[in-house]
Amino acid sequence: MTKWCVTSNYKFCMGHKVETAAQPRIFGLDVMRAAAIVLVVFWHSYDAITYLAPGFVMPFFLDGVDLFFVLSGYLIGGILLKVLAKTEVPIRQRLIKFWRRRFFRTLPNYYLFLLVNIAIVWLGLGKGLLNHNVTAYFALLHNLWKPFSLFYWESWSLVTEVWFYLLFPLGLIGCLSLLGWTIRKSFVVTSIVFILVPTSLRILASPAIDSMQEMVVGVREVAMMRIDSVVFGVLAVLLATYYPQRWKSFRWPLLVLGMAGTCVVASFYGEAHLVYSTTWYYSLSALSMACLLPLMSAWTREPRWGRVITWLSHISYALFLVHLPVRYVLERWYDPFTPLAGWLQLIGYWLVCTGLAWLVYRYYELPLMNLRERKTAKA
């Protein structure tokens, strides 16, 4: 039976670890994570789908990466709230432990697939360019403040996440230590700054954008112009923590508003509304998706039919990094000589991606996370 709960204490209502009894997973967040990865893989297969089914047209663009960003902000914001509340531990020690855990979670997969993508380009199995600028990828600087894309195109979102992990806590510590503000005020002010700066950068960049392709490369995939999408998730967890009753009371109206808002906001995204697509779309999209969190974060227990969703949520990070390299390698043999053959090959591609993602998760990602738990427990 599905269980719904909202508690006033965030740490008892939110789980983040993958397989620990102490912090159980929240099924509603797994639904959001699974939906995000399905959207990402769907859009990267959209050309093949429309080729095989010419009458099929998606009415608007639902961005799975935005959903990942909002969910990440919600989870990491909650972790930071707990980190800053442990005043008995020196702040430097708390921050180092936070960064160690975050980077231990994100960077091993990032670097594994950086090497995979380098190998694919070097062997001529996929498109891309290798030169001395590849070093920027190792420092996660290649799309920090300007367009720069040689290969490993999906990595832009990971750069955005990692720099959020680094910069946002520094902003909080500045408010807490230098200005002496409360945790709540520090979170609010830092969040506002981290929303206003990327939004302003997009507005300043918009006059020079002449096409959607320029917008994608020059705005959408530049980390400093997108970090605000993560921060809307942080604002959501602040509301959940400091206003738990309102968070609970409005969860159903906000769900309806979030679903409708996400669709309406996305329906204006495109070449016909280029200035909007460059500037306000990202803010409104993240805000709408954040409205889904009050209800989804309260859906704690996995229903009987939910195992596939939970499993997909588990492998979502690996699948995000697996599916494009697999496409680069396999698409040279893709030959839809009949519609049936095309569909079978496309389904086979999806199955290969999920199978490889599970292997990466089971034998690489999960052991590293377990190692992280052992190492940080001793710290």
Side-chain angles (χ1 to χ4, degrees):
M1 182 177 179
T2 302
K3 179 182 178 182
W4 298 87
C5 80
V6 176
T7 70
S8 58
N9 191 333
Y10 171 84
K11 67 181 179 181
F12 295 115
C13 191
M14 171 84 69
H16 184 58
K17 295 180 185 176
V18 172
E19 291 184 355
T20 61
Q23 289 184 304
R25 297 179 72 89
I26 304 299
F27 181 71
L29 302 185
D30 281 336
V31 170
M32 294 179 68
R33 194 178 290 108
I37 191 57
V38 167
L39 284 169
V40 169
V41 176
F42 168 79
W43 285 115
H44 288 155
S45 306
Y46 188 66
D47 56 342
I49 294 171
T50 53
Y51 178 81
L52 295 169
F56 175 79
V57 178
M58 276 292 288
F60 42 73
F61 174 66
L62 292 175
D63 196 343
V65 175
D66 279 3
L67 194 54
F68 272 128
F69 281 160
V70 171
L71 183 57
S72 178
Y74 184 75
L75 292 167
I76 302 306
I79 292 172
L80 282 171
L81 281 170
K82 292 193 293 183
V83 166
L84 296 180
K86 295 180 179 179
T87 54
E88 69 277 7
V89 180
I91 187 62
R92 178 176 175 272
Q93 184 177 337
R94 283 178 277 162
L95 273 183
I96 291 174
K97 184 174 182 179
F98 167 79
W99 282 324
R100 185 188 298 128
R101 288 181 61 83
R102 296 320 325 140
F103 297 148
F104 213 121
R105 175 69 183 96
T106 306
L107 296 184
N109 277 24
Y110 172 86
Y111 284 116
L112 171 65
F113 281 93
L114 173 58
L115 297 177
V116 167
N117 278 272
I118 289 174
I120 287 174
V121 177
W122 184 66
L123 294 171
L125 299 176
K127 299 176 182 179
L129 176 66
L130 299 179
N131 57 34
H132 67 281
N133 291 313
V134 169
T135 55
Y137 281 80
F138 286 92
L140 290 101
L141 294 172
H142 56 285
N143 70 299
L144 179 59
W145 64 85
K146 63 179 181 179
F148 184 79
S149 187
L150 300 175
F151 67 111
Y152 198 12
W153 292 282
E154 64 275 23
S155 64
W156 70 268
S157 60
L158 302 182
V159 175
T160 304
E161 293 266 7
V162 167
W163 282 94
F164 165 77
Y165 300 156
L166 181 63
L167 297 177
F168 193 83
L170 291 177
L172 292 175
I173 297 308
C175 293
L176 288 166
S177 301
L178 300 180
L179 302 176
W181 292 350
T182 64
I183 292 176
R184 184 190 306 195
K185 184 177 180 180
S186 298
F187 261 89
V188 171
V189 173
T190 304
S191 296
I192 291 173
V193 171
F194 273 71
I195 288 173
L196 290 179
V197 171
T199 304
S200 300
L201 291 175
R202 293 198 299 269
I203 292 172
L204 291 172
S206 63
I209 302 297
D210 294 325
S211 68
M212 286 296 290
Q213 180 62 32
E214 287 186 15
M215 187 280 295
V216 169
V217 175
V219 173
R220 180 177 185 266
E221 298 180 356
V222 176
M224 287 298 99
M225 296 189 189
R226 295 303 317 282
I227 207 167
D228 57 319
S229 295
V230 187
V231 180
F232 280 100
V234 176
L235 290 178
V237 81
L238 285 178
L239 293 174
T241 303
Y242 292 108
Y243 303 97
Q245 292 306 314
R246 293 182 182 179
W247 180 261
K248 177 180 178 179
S249 300
F250 290 100
R251 63 184 185 272
W252 285 105
L254 285 174
L255 178 72
V256 174
L257 179 63
M259 294 176 66
T262 299
C263 294
V264 171
V265 166
S267 66
F268 290 96
Y269 178 83
E271 198 83 44
H273 305 94
L274 191 55
V275 173
Y276 161 80
S277 301
T278 304
T279 55
W280 301 110
Y281 162 76
Y282 298 105
S283 304
L284 296 174
S285 177
L287 179 60
S288 298
M289 291 176 178
C291 290
L292 307 176
L293 285 165
L295 188 134
M296 301 307 288
S297 64
W299 190 359
T300 59
R301 187 174 298 172
E302 176 190 288
R304 292 180 180 178
W305 50 265
R307 291 185 179 181
V308 172
I309 291 175
T310 301
W311 178 78
L312 191 57
S313 175
H314 278 304
I315 69 168
S316 60
Y317 185 23
L319 183 54
F320 180 80
L321 294 172
V322 161
H323 76 283
L324 281 181
V326 171
R327 171 169 176 156
Y328 303 150
V329 173
L330 294 184
E331 66 183 357
R332 63 181 56 209
W333 294 291
Y334 180 64
D335 183 16
F337 53 90
T338 67
L340 178 60
W343 281 113
L344 289 176
Q345 291 174 74
L346 183 58
I347 293 170
Y349 160 69
W350 290 334
L351 292 176
V352 168
C353 288
T354 52
L356 289 175
W358 179 82
L359 290 174
V360 171
Y361 167 77
R362 177 65 181 83
Y363 295 105
Y364 178 75
E365 188 177 327
L366 186 57
L368 285 172
M369 284 190 286
N370 290 334
L371 176 63
R372 179 190 71 171
E373 297 307 314
R374 294 194 296 270
K375 292 293 184 180
T376 55
K378 297 177 183 178

